[in-house]
Structure formats: structure tokens, C-alpha cells
Amino acid sequence: MFSASAYSAQMKEAASYVRQQLGERQPRIAIILGSGLGDLADSLTESIYIPYGEIPHFPLSTVAGHKGRFVAGKLGQQEVLCMQGRFHYYEGYDLKQVTLPVRVMKLLGIETLLVTNAAGGVNASYHPGDLMLIEDHLNLTGENPLIGENLEEFGLRFFDMTVAYDRQYRDLAQQIAAVMGLPLQHGVYAWLTGPNFETPAEIRYLQTIGADAVGMSTVPEVLVARHCGIRVCGISCITNMAAGIGEGLLSHEEVNETADRVRERFIHFITALTAEL
Ligand code: HPA
């Protein structure tokens, strides 16, 4: 049975450890780096590394292509706290564990979350390698990290999700992409648990209900971030066309290969965006 008081105590211990490691630094922006996109953290300067394994009560990331640590440092002129590797529901963690880092971010004073992921393109006009600004999401799992006793110190039991992905940040991302001459798709991200990629029938269903991209992350973190008032900006890297849309079969290798190919553009864009958040 979920114990709110034990969970609160755990996140406070975790936050206090991370705060100690951060010393004088006070990042206001956190960036969650998705599958194959973790290299962005290597372009920070004055970096401090905090492996998840050293943080009390933190789970460990088990996915190939995910490193499993916080990297705090400067991206351009901005102090940021990056998650190089995140936790997924399909790894066997419950959603309270998956989203623990977001609560820790809140306790550390993070005000803005830039969340990224690798995703399958459901919108047939997309191409592998496209970046997509997340405008909204579909939670198709029937799961929610906020089920159970509400943690009043973080937010309301019933909270608004009308503009979960901050409108001002969306406008900003579009403007920055336009100035950079970077094509930026915008659309709806659908969350399914994985770990399997979807069936073609599931993808046809997603198309009819208005999804543009599909993935196995992000939504739980965004729910917890919005619950506690952290502003959210979301970017998907379309690493492959979803099942049945493109030719051939899907693989984690393809996801990582495309993410690799997009790396420079992705880092450039996220750096420019972060400078304006
Ligand atoms: N489906 C689900 N998750 C994904 C995909 C996909 O096609 N590509 C990258 N993450």
C-alpha cells in the first residue's frame, strides 16, 4: 500500500543529497533526455555528475542508450539540470518511482521542465529524423502516477491539464525553429506502456483518435510536473515511422541510429531554446 508520508520522506532525502552535490548552483531548468538523446548532457560545461545509484531511494535506469545520472552544468549561459537517462514504466518501476525525479526537481527549485523523447511517427506526413513540438498528449495506459493519496504540499487533487504544454514555450520553440531554418512538426504524443512496439492495428487506431507520435515515456513526468506547477515544454524526436506506416520492422537499433543522426540538430535546437526559457 502506498504510504504518502514514507514517499515524501524519500523524496526529501533524495533532494537533500542532490542539493548537497549541487553546492552553490541553483538551476531553474531541468531537461529530461530521451532514448539516444543523452549526448546533449556531454555538451554542458562546468559539469557535475550525480549518478542515480548514489542518490537515496532512486531507481536505476536499465535501458541501453540511457546512462543513469543527473548532469548539472551550463548549456550556453543557462544553468541546467539534465537527466541523462530516465525511468520507464516498462522497466518494472511503479509510476511513483518513475516520477520521483520530477518531485525532487520541484524540491530543488526547478521551475521549467524541458522533456524530450524518442517517438514513433504516427502522422503519415512525418519523416524519421523530424523533431516534433508536443502540443498535447493522450494517456492510453489507464495508469497515472498521481493515483493514491494526494500530496497537498505539491498540488491539488484535481488539477487542470488544458494547457499542459506551456503555450508561451510552444510559441518560443516555433520562433526559434523558424529563425534556425529548422523544420519543426507539432502534434499530439500518445503514451503506451511498451515495452513492445505497437501493432499496425494499434497505430491505425492512434491515427483515428488524433495522435501524431507514440512513445513509452514523458506523460507520467508531465503529469507530475503539472501537478506541482512546473512549466513544461516537450520535444519528440521522431526516430522511426510507427508500425505499419513505413516499410519493414521496428527495432531499438533504428531508434538509436536516427537519434544519433539527429544529434547535432537536436543539441543546437535545445541549446537555443533553453537560452530563451
Ligand atoms: N513506438 C513506441 N515508442 C517508440 C517508438 C515507436 O515506434 N519509437 C521510439 N519510441
Side-chain angles (χ1 to χ4, degrees):
M1 179 65 186
F2 170 62
S3 158
S5 57
Y7 187 55
S8 275
Q10 286 183 357
M11 64 180 79
K12 281 173 192 149
E13 278 178 44
S16 140
Y17 178 83
V18 176
R19 188 176 287 118
Q20 265 172 33
Q21 304 304 306
L22 289 176
E24 298 289 291
R25 291 156 199 250
Q26 183 53 268
R28 298 282 172 203
I29 299 172
I31 307 176
I32 300 181
L33 296 167
S35 278
L37 304 171
D39 286 354
L40 181 134
D42 299 331
S43 56
L44 302 192
T45 55
E46 300 168 39
S47 304
I48 296 177
Y49 300 94
I50 312 168
Y52 299 149
E54 293 177 4
I55 306 173
H57 314 296
F58 252 54
L60 281 174
S61 176
T62 64
V63 190
H66 281 254
K67 273 206 173 112
R69 60 188 184 184
F70 278 122
V71 187
K74 283 192 159 177
L75 185 60
Q77 295 305 307
Q78 279 280 24
E79 284 279 356
V80 296
L81 179 66
C82 284
M83 283 187 77
Q84 203 174 28
R86 58 141 63 86
F87 307 111
H88 305 84
Y89 189 51
Y90 63 72
E91 292 176 84
Y93 303 118
D94 69 39
L95 288 175
K96 305 274 183 219
Q97 292 176 294
V98 167
T99 56
L100 178 69
V102 180
R103 290 284 178 46
V104 167
M105 287 171 190
K106 178 70 181 178
L107 293 173
L108 292 171
I110 293 294
E111 294 165 356
T112 293
L113 175 63
L114 180 48
V115 61
T116 71
N117 58 52
V122 171
N123 184 322
S125 74
Y126 289 1
H127 300 282
D130 282 353
L131 296 180
M132 185 193 90
L133 179 64
I134 305 177
E135 292 196 317
D136 202 349
H137 73 222
L138 287 159
N139 177 0
L140 299 173
T141 64
E143 304 286 346
N144 193 307
L146 296 162
I147 287 174
E149 189 183 328
N150 185 48
L151 300 180
E152 294 291 330
E153 72 267 35
F154 283 91
L156 300 172
R157 165 88 303 182
F158 303 108
F159 64 100
D160 187 72
M161 285 289 286
T162 311
V163 201
Y165 298 83
D166 195 279
R167 202 183 299 277
Q168 211 182 328
Y169 289 166
R170 270 152 50 194
D171 290 345
L172 199 62
Q174 302 265 28
Q175 285 163 21
I176 289 169
V179 169
M180 290 174 68
L182 176 91
L184 182 66
Q185 308 285 5
H186 49 100
V188 173
Y189 175 90
W191 173 42
L192 292 170
T193 63
N196 58 287
F197 293 114
E198 301 70 31
T199 65
E202 287 164 346
I203 296 304
R204 288 194 297 277
Y205 165 68
L206 291 185
Q207 287 176 323
T208 60
I209 63 171
D212 296 290
V214 59
M216 309 176 193
S217 68
T218 302
V219 169
E221 293 129 325
V222 170
L223 287 167
V224 168
R226 289 310 302 141
H227 177 251
C228 66
I230 294 176
R231 293 173 70 185
V232 172
C233 184
I235 305 288
S236 291
C237 172
I238 306 297
T239 50
N240 57 282
M241 292 313 289
I245 300 184
E247 313 260 302
L249 308 179
L250 275 57
S251 70
H252 189 55
E253 287 69 38
E254 181 188 2
V255 169
N256 282 332
E257 275 166 27
T258 309
D260 247 17
R261 183 160 62 75
V262 174
R263 177 178 30 201
E264 244 173 74
R265 209 177 338 146
F266 175 78
I267 292 176
H268 201 51
F269 176 58
I270 297 295
T271 306
L273 180 57
T274 304
E276 303 295 330
L277 291 176

